[in-house]
């Protein structure tokens, strides 16, 4: 079984691309968000607090999105990096 990992910035179309790949190839897809959601439900807050940081609300207006992320960029990038480092071993095990 082959695997396709799709990465990229927020709102760049990763989920849309994954849906199209799934539709056109009958490949299974699983998102990093799904892994994080599952881990949040099963891992106590004390084990990895950064995993339980509140998710950003959906910001529909493009300019408001840019302004929000420009203001909070450093903290958000660090949180996402820490979450990715925690989640990645689970994804690797799943792929095996």
């Amino acid at each position: 079984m082959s695997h396709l990992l799709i990465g990229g910035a927020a709102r760049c179309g990763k989920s849309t691309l994954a849906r199209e790949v799934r539709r056109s190839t009958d490949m299974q897809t699983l998102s990093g968000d799904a892994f994080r959601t599952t881990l949040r439900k099963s891992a106590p807050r004390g084990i990895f607090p950064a995993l339980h940081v509140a998710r950003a609300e959906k910001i529909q207006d493009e300019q408001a999105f840019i302004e929000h992320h420009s203001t909070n960029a450093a903290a958000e990038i660090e949180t996402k990096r820490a979450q990715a480092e925690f989640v990645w071993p689970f994804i690797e095990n799943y792929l095996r």
Side-chain angles (χ1 to χ4, degrees), residues 3-91:
H3 297 88
L4 173 65
L5 299 176
I6 302 170
R11 297 182 63 157
C12 72
K14 298 179 298 288
S15 296
T16 302
L17 178 59
R19 273 192 299 278
E20 288 304 313
V21 167
R22 185 174 57 239
R23 241 182 257 146
S24 64
T25 65
D26 291 328
M27 287 180 74
Q28 300 263 336
T29 62
L30 181 63
S31 72
D33 288 341
F35 266 97
R36 278 191 294 277
T37 298
T38 301
L39 289 171
R40 280 185 187 114
K41 290 178 181 179
S42 59
R45 289 182 180 269
I47 291 177
F48 194 69
L51 187 64
H52 295 280
V53 170
R55 296 182 70 185
E57 59 186 81
K58 294 281 185 180
I59 302 172
Q60 300 300 325
D61 176 74
E62 184 176 328
Q63 188 58 40
F65 179 85
I66 291 168
E67 289 170 9
H68 169 80
H69 289 288
S70 296
T71 303
N72 304 310
E76 289 185 20
I77 289 169
E78 179 56 29
T79 297
K80 292 295 184 187
R81 184 199 59 75
Q83 286 181 357
E85 286 179 357
F86 182 79
V87 171
W88 185 249
F90 294 92
I91 293 173

